[in-house]
Structure formats: C-alpha cells, structure tokens
Amino acid sequence: MSTFTFDRKLARGIQRITSSALGQYQSAVIRIGFSATYLLFLLRELPHRHEMYGPDAPWSWDMAQQLISGNQAFTTLMWSDSTVWFEIVYAVALLSAALLMVGWHTRAMSVLFMVGVLSLQNRNIFMGDGGDNVIHLMAIYLVLTRCGQVWSLDARRAARAGRPTETDAEDDGPRRSVRGNVAGPVLWVVLGLVLIVATVTDGLGGTWWLPVLFWALWAGQGAWWAVNRYAPHSEARTLLDVVANLAHNATLVVIMAEVCLIYATAGWYKIQGSRWQDGTALYYPLKLDYFTPWPGLSDILASNGVMVMLITYGTVIVQVAFPFTLFNRRVKNVLLVVMICEHVGIALLLGLPFFSMAMIAADSVFLPTVFLVWLGGRVTLGRELLFSRRGKVPGQRHADDDEEAPLHSGAGDHTLVG
C-alpha cells in the first residue's frame, strides 16, 4: 500500500509539472518588475548613455574589444563602433523592455530584452552593481519562462480570441489563423535574418551555449507556430506544451534557488565582518555623501545607536534565515515583507533605487498566489473606476478585458511559490 501511494503521488507530481506552467502570476510579476526596472534605468541614463556605454565612454570601444576577446562575452555593441549603431541598440533595448513589461509578443520580446541587457552591460562591465548582476541573470532566465500567460497583452488577445490563455498566447496563434496577426511571423523572419548574419560574422560571443540557445529558441518558435497553424490538436502540440512547461517550471526553480543563494551568501559574508558583528555596519554608509540622498534623514537614523544596531543585526538574521523558512508559509511571508521593506529603505536612505527594484522583483517569485490574484483584482477594479465615465459600472467584469482570469488550477494550493 505504501508503494502504491508513493507511485500515485509521484505520478500526480509528474503530471502537474508537465501539464501546466506553475507560478504564472509570480513569473508575470518577475517579467513586469525586471523589465520596468531596466526601462526606468535606461530612461534615467538617456542623457548620459554615450558616456556610459557609447562612443564617449572612458572605457573605449578598443578597450572593450580587448576585454571581450578574453572573457568571450556577448554584446552587439562590438559589431560596430559607429554612433548610429549604438543608438539603434539602445533604442531596441528601450523598446524591448517596454514591450516586455506590457507583454506584447512576450517570447520574442524576452529574447530582445536579453540581447539588450547583455549588449549594454557587457560593453562596460565596470558600470554595474549588484542589481545589474541580478538583471543580467534574470534576463536570461525570462527567455525560458512562460511569463506572458497572465497580465499581458498576449493574454488579453487570447481572451478576446476565445482561447484559453494557458495555451501560451504569446506564441502567435494557438488555434488561430495567422492572417489575424502577422506581427509574430514578421518578427520571426527578421530575427532569423539577424541571427544568420551574426552567426556568419562570428558576432555571438566566444561561448558555445549562447548561439545554441539563440538557434534553439528561433527554431522552436518556428516549429511551435507551424504546429499551432496546421495541427493544433495533434500530439506534437501536446509535446511542445510539455517541453515548454518543463522548461518554465525548471527555470522557476532556478530563479528561487538564485534568490536564496544571493541572500545566503550575503548574510554569511556579513557575519564574518567585524562591523556587522558589533552592530555598527549601517552607521558608515549613512555617513558617506555618495549614499545619502536625504542627509537629514540619514543623520537622524545614524544618531540613534539602538536603531542602527537593530537594523544591522536584523539584516543579517533575515538574510541568513530566509532560505530555511521556505517550507513554512507563514514565516516565509513575514520575512518576505521584512526583506521588501529593507529594500525600500535601501532605495530611500542609500539612493539605490534600481538595485532595490531588482531585488524586490526577484523576491516576488515567493509571493503567495492568493495575494497576487487579489492584487490583480484591485488593479482591475481601479481601472474600471477610472474608466467608469465611459459607461462601465464599477466592479463589473467583461469578457473582453478579463485578462486576469486565465484557466489556472490549484491557485490556492501551497507550493514554494505560493
């Protein structure tokens, strides 16, 4: 009986991770959070883009080329040193971040977003901080997730076409004629031509995995479109769904492990520092002009020794303890709120808003599904109230704009992500 019960549980678990993309709301928040973070960063640095990554950067194009020839990093900015090419790459990075945030052709935009992030950051690796490193990694991970199934224009398009959003609306046509949407095939053709030129000219970096990833994504997208167009109910369609679900779920586990690793290493390294041990570590950055956007507020906090000690010790305790609380929902949620508040404090007190936004977006992988569904409902209600002058009754739901209601099984179940 025990063996039979174990087999049933194992079969049920395999069926769950292959039949659906888990953490749909969490992956959507990650998509929105990281794309919004990088979009705001690019907009803020728009006047200084030439000095950071462009032709006027102290780290010149020739110096970057020498470094990249050694570390074999990928960046499209090494394809040409012209100002026009730099402006094109910067504009594509901006546009892809904005379109990924709203979820327009999410799969293609996630690839362009990754290309934009890698191109700019690898052009001048000395301009980044911890937040940039997180964005760098998450841009790669997002490509392998089905992050457009909810809270996206793809989900809205799927709902209006009468298709379940769980069939991955961003794939440009499950059970839908391609005549109704030509943007997807056009994007696929254009990106394919760029990929061919980059491969021929050896412009995909010196690693083997990145060209393989690009070609696998491009070929897989073409196969997905063909199957959806000509055999939407075939076994091939089911197989593609299973592969996509497995990739999504595995990537979500990697993201969770990455977040735990970030906090664990940060916490254990802090323990080894003498200033963290005596409870005075917070005092010193509060006295640095570079990290005090609000000097008056920093002085008030730095003058309170008890508060400095509590925050210093509390930071270490929370970071070290968080990975061990994942299987206790209540404790995990409490520490999650504490860490989000900590990052809000870092943004305000130390003037690191983009680092904090990146970490909060990463933390959102652990937010409860029930809370995210509730939050989506509040946003929808606010939108209806805002546009109620058009004749829509506040609180009324319409099938045409119900992108927050996909087919979602087990939303109330407790997992690592919810």
Side-chain angles (χ1 to χ4, degrees):
M1 289 296 293
S2 61
T3 304
F4 178 73
T5 303
F6 174 78
D7 290 343
R8 287 189 60 183
K9 290 182 178 179
L10 180 62
R12 191 181 306 164
I14 294 175
Q15 194 273 338
R16 186 179 184 187
I17 64 175
T18 57
S19 63
S20 62
L22 304 177
Q24 295 179 2
Y25 292 95
Q26 287 82 2
S27 59
V29 174
I30 292 173
R31 183 199 83 231
I32 296 170
F34 279 102
S35 56
T37 299
Y38 205 63
L39 175 63
L40 293 176
F41 172 77
L42 294 179
L43 290 174
R44 191 194 72 171
E45 302 301 339
L46 191 63
H48 314 292
R49 62 190 184 281
H50 286 209
E51 291 78 14
M52 294 183 64
Y53 307 111
D56 299 332
W59 189 251
S60 66
W61 191 85
D62 293 331
M63 297 169 66
Q65 192 175 40
Q66 293 179 19
L67 179 62
I68 289 173
S69 64
N71 62 20
Q72 299 181 333
F74 166 77
T75 170
T76 58
L77 290 178
M78 289 294 101
W79 294 0
S80 173
D81 61 349
S82 69
T83 304
V84 174
W85 177 245
F86 168 76
E87 297 291 357
I88 292 174
V89 173
Y90 201 91
V92 169
L94 265 172
L95 185 62
S96 62
L99 293 178
L100 180 63
M101 181 178 65
V102 298
W104 184 81
H105 293 280
T106 312
R107 195 177 301 277
M109 289 304 109
S110 65
V111 176
L112 288 178
F113 178 72
M114 178 183 70
V115 170
V117 170
L118 297 183
S119 296
L120 293 175
Q121 290 189 356
N122 289 338
R123 168 62 177 84
N124 190 352
I125 62 175
F126 304 103
M127 294 298 299
D129 57 20
D132 294 291
N133 293 335
V134 175
I135 294 175
H136 189 108
L137 293 171
M138 295 299 173
I140 300 175
Y141 297 153
L142 277 174
V143 173
L144 301 175
T145 63
R146 307 181 77 172
C147 56
Q149 292 189 326
V150 297
W151 296 344
S152 66
L153 294 180
D154 292 328
R156 176 188 289 268
R157 186 172 66 248
R160 288 180 172 177
R163 301 193 314 273
T165 56
E166 211 168 291
T167 59
D168 223 296
E170 69 266 29
D171 294 326
D172 299 328
R175 306 180 179 91
R176 183 182 184 185
S177 172
V178 72
R179 292 190 298 272
N181 186 1
V182 298
V186 170
L187 276 172
W188 185 79
V189 172
V190 172
L191 292 177
L193 294 175
V194 174
L195 190 56
I196 291 173
V197 174
T199 303
V200 172
T201 58
D202 196 23
L204 296 179
T207 60
W208 63 269
W209 64 268
L210 192 60
V212 171
L213 175 62
F214 280 136
W215 278 110
L217 290 170
W218 186 79
Q221 188 71 7
W224 197 303
W225 179 88
V227 170
N228 288 327
R229 177 68 174 87
Y230 299 107
H233 303 287
S234 64
E235 293 184 1
R237 176 67 174 84
T238 303
L239 177 61
L240 289 175
D241 250 337
V242 169
V243 173
N245 290 332
L246 286 173
H248 169 92
N249 295 331
T251 304
L252 212 60
V253 173
V254 172
I255 292 175
M256 290 189 289
E258 191 77 44
V259 175
C260 291
L261 186 62
I262 290 173
Y263 283 119
T265 53
W268 287 106
Y269 270 112
K270 285 182 175 67
I271 288 178
Q272 302 175 46
S274 60
R275 294 294 176 263
W276 291 96
Q277 293 175 5
D278 60 26
T280 61
L282 178 65
Y283 174 84
Y284 298 97
L286 292 176
K287 289 299 182 178
L288 295 176
D289 293 338
Y290 186 79
F291 292 109
T292 53
W294 311 98
L297 184 60
S298 298
D299 289 340
I300 293 175
L301 181 58
S303 62
N304 191 325
V306 175
M307 186 61 66
V308 169
M309 182 188 66
L310 291 177
I311 295 178
T312 300
Y313 286 148
T315 299
V316 176
I317 293 172
V318 169
Q319 291 181 350
V320 172
F322 179 74
F324 300 101
T325 65
L326 294 184
F327 296 98
N328 189 311
R329 177 168 46 182
R330 293 182 178 179
V331 179
K332 181 259 295 182
N333 290 340
V334 171
L335 288 188
L336 200 57
V337 173
V338 174
M339 289 193 301
I340 291 175
C341 292
E342 174 190 333
H343 290 304
V344 172
I346 291 175
L348 294 176
L349 293 174
L350 303 182
L352 298 172
F354 300 111
F355 167 78
S356 297
M357 289 179 64
M359 289 308 304
I360 292 174
D363 293 341
S364 63
V365 71
F366 296 108
L367 288 175
T369 301
V370 174
F371 169 74
L372 292 177
V373 172
W374 174 85
L375 183 63
R378 297 306 93 192
V379 173
T380 300
L381 179 59
R383 184 186 62 197
E384 291 175 348
L385 291 173
L386 182 63
F387 294 101
S388 59
R389 62 179 180 274
R390 296 184 179 182
K392 187 181 294 186
V393 179
Q396 181 179 351
R397 304 288 297 208
H398 292 269
D400 289 342
D401 59 1
D402 193 14
E403 72 274 25
E404 283 82 18
L407 296 178
H408 184 71
S409 61
D413 296 340
H414 172 53
T415 64
L416 284 179
V417 296

